[in-house]
Amino acid sequence: TKVETGVVRVVDAAGAPPSAPFWLGEAPARTAELSAAVGRLRAEVEQALTAGGESAAVARLESVPGVDHVAALQAARYLEAALRALGHLPTTNRIVVERFFDDVESTQLVVHAPFGGRINRALGLALRKRFCVTFDFELQAAADDDAVTIALGPHHSFPLSQVTKLVSSSSVADVLTQAVLPHPMLASRWRWNLGRALIVPRSLGGKRRPIHLQRMESDDLLAAAWPSLAACQENAPPGPIPVPDHVLVRQTIADVMFEPLDLAGVTRVLDDIAAGVIDVVTVESAEPSPLALGLLNGQPFTFLDDAPLEERRSRAVPQRRGTAALLDEPDRLAPLESAAVAKVLDEVAPRLGRADELHDLLLDAAAIRPIPEVARLADELRRAGRLQDVDGCWVATERASDWAGVDLDDEVAADCLRVHLERSGPVTLEELLDNTPLPCGVLRGAPLGALRGATAIRRLEGMGLAIELPDGRWCARHLLARLHARSRGDRRRRVEAVSVSDYLAFLVRWGHVASGEKLAGRQGLLEVLDQLSGIELPI
């Protein structure tokens, strides 16, 4: 009923059912045995869905004791939607790494790994620390029993295959030690050890000491035993914080590594990933899979940083309203509005009003086909020696050497594809190649099956710059985010609430009060009764 300084006041609940927990501390994690059972059941359900469809999966789930038909049907449809979105169900033998956009055009990275909260918490803290060191930027992260999520900015671009290589089994202990130093779990266990060692007394003179005084004394002792941890960050040297050889410090670090976290477990998982025992599957999508929604809406006990609930970047991820949309619709992408696509493509189209702007476009795109509307700008650049004609294309003089011959460098081909993809919207590979002035020997001579695996396309997809849509078309990832945001805005504007005056005018007509709308006779009575069907009113 009330929280005071050092006192929490409670009353008898009188048999009321318990409410959902919501706390800022640590949540108990799923055991390793239960996590292994969850992984086995997911693998069996995936096999049943692949071989026999929904009915086979329902039959397998109904064989679990205590699961009736309704629960089995719901679980089967939920896992079927997840399988459709991810391509595989994550198990203890397969990790699925997923990346998608939020509403501010940043990206969310979700590692689906049902290893339990202790291993996932350790994995999330280690990955967050490695991202922090790599990009020099603190990231929000969260972890629960089934997944780890990290909120990335729009400037964080890297191949998804590199995620599991950021941390190795040989370095995870050192990385995790540095990651937990500013975390509250270390401070709480430091206070516990001081109390267990009778260094900070919990009572004095027969009276219990206030909690806030114990915290202050613990912080002072931490600064004395571990000065580098409490040092001013402006004066602290760069690099990892050294860990002193102190008995209480060693005990506190050991408690953190093996109570809320599982250092041995995450080391074993990383060893299995390196040995190929655990597969890693990567998925680029425009919206989160059903399995990611639980952690994106997770409670504070899942957070691995100190950002409050209202400032979580994971809450900026657009989600479909209700699970029916996730389970019933075959595509995981909402439809794009043609008007919205036209507006966005007009916004991203280059405005070539000066010769320098055309030259900048050539430097970025490597080469473009001649544009009659800006031929005079090309003539100006040609006279200045800044533009050359190569194989019927305009090429910047600085990049003419890259464009010579059919043995085009993969990076140059990827640049050319990227620039045209960023200005084309969703297109098929044939349309993209028709609009891209690549030499015939680079991509165009290959069959369509080989095009999907072409080096330039793979390079863009691996860098997170291109994504393949469910219908087989390709689109630049950031452009796709803008297209979906604009389409969603257009759909919402069509269903905005009308003004009060318009609503009242509708009620007058609907209620048959306005002139010309009044009803009479038996037929009028039947129409009114039909309108009021289902409304509870006194007779």
Side-chain angles (χ1 to χ4, degrees):
T1 59
K2 192 175 183 181
V3 179
E4 301 175 353
T5 303
V7 178
V8 178
R9 301 192 179 276
V10 299
V11 294
D12 188 358
S19 58
F22 187 97
W23 64 91
L24 299 175
E26 302 163 10
R30 191 169 62 198
T31 62
E33 293 79 9
L34 182 55
S35 297
V38 169
R40 288 193 299 270
L41 181 60
R42 283 187 179 181
E44 293 170 2
V45 171
E46 178 180 352
Q47 184 178 4
L49 287 171
T50 304
E54 181 182 292
S55 58
V58 171
R60 172 62 187 90
L61 290 169
E62 283 181 327
S63 66
V64 178
V67 178
D68 59 12
H69 177 73
V70 175
L73 180 62
Q74 291 179 348
R77 298 184 69 198
Y78 174 73
L79 293 176
E80 183 182 8
L83 178 61
R84 189 166 56 239
L86 298 175
H88 298 277
L89 289 182
T91 66
T92 49
N93 292 323
R94 182 196 300 126
I95 294 175
V96 179
V97 182
E98 180 186 11
R99 180 166 57 184
F100 46 84
F101 282 101
D102 56 26
D103 269 346
V104 294
E105 295 191 20
S106 298
T107 52
Q108 298 285 332
L109 180 71
V110 178
V111 181
H112 297 279
F115 296 120
R118 295 173 63 223
I119 291 180
N120 285 353
R121 207 174 291 147
L123 182 62
L125 285 171
L127 286 176
R128 179 175 181 264
K129 173 55 68 174
R130 291 297 300 143
F131 276 118
C132 175
V133 173
T134 303
F135 295 109
D136 196 19
F137 189 85
E138 289 286 352
L139 301 173
Q140 294 180 2
D144 62 7
D145 289 326
D146 294 305
V148 176
T149 179
I150 298 177
L152 304 172
H155 51 282
H156 298 142
S157 182
F158 52 87
L160 282 182
S161 58
Q162 299 297 320
V163 172
T164 54
K165 300 178 182 178
L166 289 173
V167 183
S168 64
S169 59
S170 59
S171 63
V172 65
D174 295 333
V175 173
L176 200 54
T177 299
Q178 295 299 315
V180 301
L181 295 186
H183 204 278
M185 66 176 69
L186 183 128
S188 63
R189 281 165 178 77
W190 172 258
R191 290 192 298 270
W192 295 353
N193 287 330
L194 290 178
R196 290 163 55 193
L198 305 179
I199 296 176
V200 174
R202 299 181 179 178
S203 60
L204 192 63
K207 295 183 179 180
R208 184 174 181 83
R209 298 183 67 200
I211 297 295
H212 65 283
L213 294 182
Q214 298 183 41
R215 287 176 177 268
M216 293 178 185
E217 189 172 352
S218 298
D219 292 341
D220 293 339
L221 291 172
L222 180 63
W226 201 339
S228 58
L229 185 59
C232 176
Q233 294 301 310
E234 293 186 3
N235 299 327
I241 299 175
V243 179
D245 187 15
H246 190 282
V247 59
L248 288 176
V249 172
R250 292 198 304 270
Q251 183 63 46
T252 302
I253 293 293
D255 290 346
V256 172
M257 292 298 178
F258 295 100
E259 288 179 358
L261 309 178
D262 186 357
L263 177 59
V266 74
T267 303
R268 182 175 62 254
V269 167
L270 293 173
D271 278 333
D272 290 344
I273 292 175
V277 177
I278 296 179
D279 296 330
V280 179
V281 179
T282 60
V283 177
E284 296 276 7
S285 57
E287 63 182 11
S289 65
L291 293 180
L293 299 181
L295 187 55
L296 293 178
N297 298 288
Q299 299 295 349
F301 57 78
T302 64
F303 301 164
L304 300 179
D305 57 274
D306 55 358
L309 179 67
E310 62 274 8
E311 297 179 7
R312 306 300 298 185
R313 298 179 73 95
S314 59
R315 300 301 170 109
V317 177
Q319 300 175 17
R320 298 193 186 184
R321 193 170 297 176
T323 55
L326 290 170
L327 299 176
D328 294 335
E329 298 182 14
D331 292 337
R332 63 176 185 266
L333 298 178
L336 296 176
E337 302 287 335
S338 56
V341 173
K343 291 177 183 178
V344 173
L345 293 182
D346 181 66
E347 292 173 359
V348 301
R351 302 294 191 264
L352 303 177
R354 297 183 302 160
D356 289 338
E357 294 172 346
L358 176 59
H359 186 256
D360 290 340
L361 177 62
L362 292 173
L363 288 177
D364 192 22
I368 63 172
R369 298 188 186 280
I371 305 174
E373 293 81 5
V374 294
R376 60 177 184 84
L377 301 180
D379 292 338
E380 183 179 342
L381 291 175
R382 197 178 287 109
R383 288 192 299 268
R386 303 169 66 188
L387 182 147
Q388 297 183 17
D389 296 289
V390 179
D391 295 332
C393 301
W394 291 348
V395 180
T397 302
E398 293 87 343
R399 305 199 68 170
S401 59
D402 297 335
W403 204 250
V406 298
D407 295 330
L408 199 62
D409 184 79
D410 294 336
E411 185 175 354
V412 178
D415 281 344
C416 192
L417 285 177
R418 172 184 57 80
V419 173
H420 286 78
L421 200 61
E422 289 174 350
R423 291 163 174 80
S424 303
V427 292
T428 63
L429 281 173
E430 294 93 332
E431 294 170 342
L432 177 62
L433 295 175
D434 285 340
N435 297 325
T436 304
L438 291 174
C440 295
V442 178
L443 291 175
R444 198 166 306 176
L448 181 60
L451 286 178
R452 296 188 58 188
T455 306
I457 297 292
R458 284 206 311 270
R459 186 183 186 91
L460 291 178
E461 188 177 18
M463 295 171 62
L465 300 177
I467 180 173
E468 186 178 9
L469 305 184
D471 58 5
R473 294 181 299 171
W474 288 80
C475 187
R477 294 184 74 250
H478 288 282
L479 180 61
L480 183 64
R482 292 183 60 177
L483 293 174
H484 274 284
R486 182 67 64 88
S487 299
R488 185 170 60 249
D490 289 353
R491 288 193 294 269
R492 288 175 177 174
R493 277 190 291 272
R494 290 200 293 266
V495 295
E496 285 181 350
V498 299
S499 63
V500 176
S501 59
D502 291 339
Y503 179 58
L504 289 177
F506 160 76
L507 286 181
V508 170
R509 294 193 304 273
W510 185 82
H512 306 290
V513 178
S515 60
E517 298 287 342
K518 295 183 179 181
L519 303 175
R522 178 184 178 87
Q523 187 61 34
L525 176 62
L526 290 175
E527 186 172 340
V528 170
L529 290 178
D530 184 61
Q531 281 184 278
L532 299 179
S533 176
I535 298 178
E536 263 190 56
L537 293 174
I539 190 61

